[in-house]
Amino acid sequence: METAEPQEAPVTLRLDGKVALVTGAGSPDGIGYATARRLRDLGARVAIVSTTRRIHERAAELGITGFVADLTDEAEVGALADAVSDHLGDVEVLVNNAGLTSRASPEILRPVSQLTYDEWKSEIDRNLSTAFLCSRAFQGGMAEQGWGRIVNLAATAGPVNALPTEAAYAAAKAGVVGLTRALAMELVADGVNVNCVAPGTIYTAASTVTEIKQGLGTPIGRPGTPDEVAAAIAFLCSPAASYITGQMLVVDGGNSVREAEFR
């Protein structure tokens, strides 16, 4: 029985000339912003998008292109796809970061017994539907070119663990993993790799005192940084990740693998 020879591919992190879109990059100290900066430094032509006009400030700081869009709105996602294509060309790298909580749009913390259906839908739309709509809008161009990378932002909450009062967020992030794996199988023959990154406690301006304390309690002994998450995302976006698809990479300082608190 003959076996297929592995295709030669450059084992490189460089993304020279590739068009990349990072969603949810409005905060200057967030994961989206750090990811956009890293992809730019790797040679990509980067666009970023958020729901407010502050995205233009972030774009100016990085010397890239910014767009404003509500990614829970199907029509606005379609308009974004057209705008990015007109300005930069077909997107080859998509990072679905939109949806992670912020001060402007905090996570809804309420037990299921008290959670309204509108609150449930809001969390699902913000954390899962955004990834679905953007992936659907940009996957076709990648498939036509025969190369692409989609990296979705999940979280340890949902796919790995959960806390009381976060059922909607956890369900959405678990759904991101399911979307990632299904899409990976749909696009594998087209040369498009789809993966997700699941951050644990990451220190940003939106971090609460409780979250910071949780980070100090990890095996590594501190919260993670947006740059550390961005490094993982950038690797999965690169040609070097050519044999990785449908996977979830946990970035949580070892917190999810220990059996008990260290003594």
Side-chain angles (χ1 to χ4, degrees):
M1 178 179 177
E2 295 184 1
T3 58
E5 291 292 329
Q7 292 184 345
E8 292 291 333
V11 181
T12 177
L13 295 175
R14 297 296 303 177
L15 288 164
D16 297 301
K18 300 291 187 185
V19 177
L21 174 65
V22 181
T23 71
S27 171
D29 69 342
I31 292 171
Y33 186 85
T35 300
R37 180 173 58 217
R38 188 170 287 265
L39 296 182
R40 179 206 63 184
D41 292 346
L42 290 173
R45 300 166 59 207
V46 182
I48 53 178
V49 58
S50 76
T51 57
T52 66
R53 295 189 62 80
R54 68 173 180 167
I55 197 67
H56 297 305
E57 298 174 20
R58 305 289 83 80
E61 292 163 3
L62 295 173
I64 59 179
T65 307
F67 297 91
V68 178
D70 177 358
L71 301 182
T72 66
D73 186 301
E74 184 177 12
E76 290 200 29
V77 172
L80 171 68
D82 291 340
V84 175
S85 178
D86 289 343
H87 281 77
L88 297 176
D90 289 335
V91 169
E92 297 154 285
V93 174
L94 171 64
V95 178
N96 283 312
N97 173 71
L100 295 180
T101 56
S102 68
R103 286 175 175 172
S105 56
E107 182 182 346
I108 298 167
L109 297 175
R110 209 186 308 280
V112 170
S113 61
Q114 300 174 18
L115 193 66
T116 70
Y117 187 43
D118 285 342
E119 289 171 335
W120 169 269
K121 290 192 294 183
S122 176
E123 285 290 271
I124 297 298
D125 282 347
R126 183 174 66 183
N127 291 288
L128 178 56
S129 298
T130 50
F132 159 71
L133 290 172
C134 288
S135 297
R136 190 181 64 176
F138 292 102
Q139 67 173 37
M142 296 181 192
E144 288 179 7
Q145 296 177 76
W147 193 94
R149 298 286 188 268
I150 298 175
V151 179
N152 298 319
L153 266 291
T156 52
V160 178
N161 51 43
L163 291 169
T165 76
E166 64 174 13
Y169 179 79
K173 289 304 182 183
V176 168
V177 179
L179 172 66
T180 297
R181 291 172 176 162
L183 195 56
M185 294 300 96
E186 291 178 8
L187 296 177
V188 66
D190 297 314
V192 181
N193 293 28
V194 188
N195 293 287
C196 63
V197 171
T201 302
I202 307 300
Y203 182 75
T204 70
S207 297
T208 65
V209 173
T210 299
E211 289 169 339
I212 294 171
K213 288 181 178 178
Q214 289 172 347
L216 295 174
T218 64
I220 284 184
R222 61 171 176 81
T225 68
D227 279 331
E228 289 172 319
V229 181
I233 294 169
F235 167 69
L236 292 174
C237 290
S238 75
S242 56
Y243 201 57
I244 303 172
T245 197
Q247 302 304 308
M248 179 180 73
L249 175 57
V250 175
V251 183
D252 73 345
N255 201 50
S256 59
V257 299
R258 65 178 176 187
E259 185 173 352
E261 294 287 341
F262 292 108
R263 300 184 185 278

